[in-house]
């Protein structure tokens, strides 16, 4: 590396660190106290700096940089994540929540009544049936008790951690993947929902699995990944209603990907894409048939929690804007007030993570011409919609927006990785040793 490039990366390293410091000051001194105007001015200045950094960077989005002890670190992360999710699972949280009991009863019925094999469950449940078959498998092993129900959700929560690592690695390199996986393992919101026997935890699992398989398929063009992506997205629609925005997210993102990568010139990809789409259609066929035959049952839950139910157009507009503001604030200022979901009113992120979240958004937007980076802010917006478009007296709603959790930690990892990436390029092999040690 020549002296000029060395100086450039040195300036970029310092600027990246200062951007994080400025975002932290904005978060602690202003945003966390509800004083949004000066805080957002500082964040806007940080964003401008990061846009300038993005213009000076000549590297591609994908970084092939081996990490020492990568697999060992991942195993340690998983061990810690498992401890946080499985310790005293039957006793914490105390008691049995109504939804957990209902889920256990439905799953036990699937297990014990040979003729009861639903695709979608109406009545009190109003959800697709996939998670209930999964609970039934644990009931078969551990018996009809709360531990079996919670083992189902805790195992799905744990499996999401390595998937976040794989997605982060595929998009940005192994360092971002490990950072995101470690942060998800520690995240109190994800730990909390992993320990409740409710099917919402399946949404981030299928989201991350689907995104990883789609990204992997596009990079390798191997048919097996396209098939896997189709199956994963299809199964995701059987999981939790918050996942229903994911197909729309993928279509919007893929439009940009096709344009940027000039995919219309690569006709060889049409066959594996068609096979993947066929796999998706085959998986969702039973659910689609149920929805066509039972439209009232299928749409009952969405209508019950709809923000617009019983409101005029003007009232709907006001309620939407209010819900939008509340969900925008839930990460850095004021969070879910439901004690089942959160420490009542506490923001989803503590101050340092909240500041890095803002930096991560700014980095992603600054590099949004690259599909790898546009995916995260687009996913953030789309996966907030199930909360924004639902009952306003519950806003902000961590449970209906559960799909944003892995997106949030990937954004934070991207923001945290910014100075590390610059140090690597500035210091070369020595820089890689320093950043790996950190």
């Amino acid at each position: 590396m020549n002296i000029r490039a060395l100086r450039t990366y040195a300036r970029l390293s310092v600027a990246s660190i200062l951007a994080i410091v400025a975002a932290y000051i904005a978060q602690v001194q202003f945003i966390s106290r509800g004083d949004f105007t000066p805080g957002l001015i500082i964040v806007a200045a940080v964003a401008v700096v990061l846009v300038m950094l993005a213009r000076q960077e000549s590297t591609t989005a994908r970084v092939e940089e081996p990490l020492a002890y990568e697999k060992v670190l991942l195993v340690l992360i998983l061990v810690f994540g498992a401890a946080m999710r499985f310790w005293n699972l039957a006793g914490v949280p105390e008691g049995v929540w109504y939804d957990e009991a209902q889920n256990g009863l439905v799953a036990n019925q699937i297990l014990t009544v040979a003729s009861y094999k639903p695709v979608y469950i109406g009545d009190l449940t109003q959800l697709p049936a996939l998670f209930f078959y999964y609970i039934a498998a644990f009931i078969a092993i551990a018996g009809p008790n709360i531990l079996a129900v919670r083992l189902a959700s805790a195992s799905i929560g744990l499996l999401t951690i390595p998937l976040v690592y794989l997605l982060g690695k595929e998009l940005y390199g192994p360092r971002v993947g490990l950072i995101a996986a470690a942060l998800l393992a520690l995240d109190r919101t994800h730990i909390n929902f992993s320990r409740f026997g409710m099917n919402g935890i399946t949404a981030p699992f299928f989201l991350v699995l689907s995104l990883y398989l789609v990204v992997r398929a596009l990079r390798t063009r191997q048919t097996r990944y396209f098939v896997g992506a189709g199956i994963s997205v299809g199964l995701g629609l059987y999981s939790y209603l918050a996942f229903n925005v994911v197909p729309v997210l993928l279509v919007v993102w893929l439009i940009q990907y096709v344009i940027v990568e000039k995919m219309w010139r690569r006709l060889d990809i049409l066959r594996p894409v068609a096979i993947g789409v066929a796999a998706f259609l085959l998986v969702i066929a039973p659910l689609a048939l149920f929805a066509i035959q039972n439209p009232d049952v299928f749409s009952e839950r969405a209508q019950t929690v709809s923000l617009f139910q019983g409101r005029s157009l003007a009232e709907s507009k006001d309620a939407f804007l209010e819900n939008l503001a509340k969900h925008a604030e839930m990460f850095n200022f004021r969070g879910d007030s439901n004690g089942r979901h959160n420490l009542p009113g506490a923001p989803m992120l503590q101050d340092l993570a909240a500041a890095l979240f803002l930096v991560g958004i700014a980095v992603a937007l600054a590099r949004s011409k690259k599909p790898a980076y546009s995916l995260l802010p687009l996913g953030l917006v789309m996966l907030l919609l199930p909360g924004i478009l639902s009952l306003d007296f519950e806003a902000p709603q961590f449970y209906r927006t559960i799909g944003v959790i892995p997106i949030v930690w990937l954004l934070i990892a991207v923001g945290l990785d910014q100075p590390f990436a610059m140090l690597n390029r500035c210091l070369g092999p020595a820089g890689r040793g320093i950043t790996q040690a950190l």
Side-chain angles (χ1 to χ4, degrees):
M1 183 183 295
N2 58 45
I3 297 299
R4 183 176 180 181
L6 188 64
R7 288 176 177 173
T8 297
Y9 283 124
R11 288 195 298 269
L12 294 177
S13 300
V14 173
S16 298
I17 294 170
L18 291 177
I20 292 174
V21 172
Y24 181 73
I25 292 171
Q27 168 64 28
V28 173
Q29 296 298 321
F30 301 109
I31 297 175
S32 65
R33 301 176 181 181
D35 194 0
F36 297 119
T37 301
L40 292 178
I41 289 173
I42 296 173
V43 171
V46 168
V48 170
V49 170
L50 293 172
V51 168
M52 294 171 64
L53 295 183
R55 289 178 177 176
Q56 293 184 54
E57 245 192 302
S58 59
T59 56
T60 58
R62 183 172 173 77
V63 180
E64 292 288 357
E65 179 191 313
L67 287 181
Y69 310 114
E70 184 179 337
K71 292 181 180 179
V72 173
L73 289 172
L74 180 60
V75 169
L76 291 175
I77 290 168
L78 289 175
V79 168
F80 188 83
M84 298 297 288
R85 286 158 179 79
F86 287 99
W87 175 80
N88 193 17
L89 188 57
V92 180
E94 293 184 355
V96 180
W97 190 258
Y98 173 87
D99 290 346
E100 292 181 297
Q102 175 68 14
N103 293 348
L105 290 172
V106 172
N108 194 56
Q109 186 177 0
I110 290 173
L111 186 65
T112 57
V113 180
S115 61
Y116 185 64
K117 295 295 179 283
V119 171
Y120 188 96
I121 302 166
D123 300 322
L124 297 174
T125 302
Q126 301 173 6
L127 289 168
L130 178 62
F131 185 62
F132 300 91
Y133 286 92
Y134 189 64
I135 295 175
F138 284 94
I139 291 177
I141 297 169
N145 52 57
I146 189 59
L147 177 61
V149 177
R150 290 179 177 174
L151 280 171
S153 55
S155 60
I156 290 290
L158 180 64
L159 289 171
T160 308
I161 297 171
L163 289 176
V164 166
Y165 158 74
L166 290 173
L167 177 59
K169 181 178 180 179
E170 190 67 29
L171 289 170
Y172 315 110
R175 186 173 54 242
V176 170
L178 282 173
I179 292 171
L183 293 173
L184 182 66
L186 289 165
D187 176 37
R188 76 166 192 269
T189 306
H190 193 261
I191 292 169
N192 179 57
F193 288 132
S194 295
R195 296 181 67 93
F196 269 110
M198 296 165 60
N199 72 333
I201 197 66
T202 58
F205 170 81
F206 281 111
L207 166 72
V208 179
L209 177 61
S210 299
L211 292 180
Y212 168 71
L213 290 170
V214 167
V215 173
R216 183 77 174 168
L218 292 171
R219 190 173 72 84
T220 65
R221 302 187 206 173
Q222 294 182 19
T223 301
R224 58 176 175 165
Y225 289 114
F226 284 100
V227 172
I231 293 172
S232 178
V233 175
L235 290 176
L237 293 173
Y238 287 84
S239 61
Y240 180 55
L241 299 179
F243 186 88
N244 291 354
V245 300
V246 173
V248 181
L249 162 64
L250 287 172
V251 169
V252 174
W253 181 71
L254 285 171
I255 290 172
Q256 184 204 12
Y257 188 91
V258 167
I259 294 171
V260 171
E261 300 295 332
K262 298 180 174 59
M263 296 297 291
W264 60 82
R265 298 178 180 177
R266 304 175 184 178
L267 298 180
D268 60 314
I269 204 172
L270 291 179
R271 182 176 179 275
V273 168
I275 295 173
V277 171
F280 167 74
L281 294 174
L282 186 63
V283 170
I284 67 164
L287 185 62
L289 182 62
F290 179 90
I292 292 169
Q293 294 176 342
N294 306 274
D296 293 338
V297 175
F298 187 76
S299 62
E300 183 178 5
R301 182 61 179 169
Q303 292 176 0
T304 300
V305 301
S306 172
L307 177 66
F308 309 119
Q309 188 74 16
R311 284 192 164 103
S312 67
L313 182 61
E315 291 171 337
S316 296
K317 177 185 174 182
D318 292 341
F320 172 80
L321 293 175
E322 183 179 356
N323 258 16
L324 180 64
K326 288 180 178 179
H327 282 85
E329 294 172 356
M330 76 181 200
F331 305 103
N332 301 63
F333 176 55
R334 183 184 294 114
D336 196 330
S337 60
N338 187 335
R340 184 183 70 174
H341 302 163
N342 186 35
L343 299 171
M348 182 178 284
L349 304 172
Q350 295 183 352
D351 286 335
L352 180 57
L356 289 168
F357 174 60
L358 296 173
V359 172
I361 292 174
V363 170
L365 291 176
R367 301 177 181 178
S368 59
K369 290 183 179 180
K370 300 174 182 179
Y373 287 96
S374 66
L375 179 60
L376 296 185
L378 179 61
L380 182 68
V381 172
M382 294 295 296
L383 290 158
L384 281 174
L385 288 178
I388 294 171
L389 299 179
S390 63
L391 299 169
D392 52 341
F393 69 86
E394 294 180 337
Q397 241 273 9
F398 282 8
Y399 189 64
R400 295 193 190 111
T401 58
I402 193 171
V404 303
I405 293 175
I407 300 293
V408 166
W409 292 113
L410 281 165
L411 281 166
I412 290 170
V414 166
L416 185 58
D417 183 64
Q418 180 77 5
F420 288 142
M422 296 303 166
L423 281 171
N424 275 0
R425 295 174 186 116
C426 178
L427 302 178
R432 283 192 289 273
I434 293 171
T435 56
Q436 289 186 30
L438 290 173

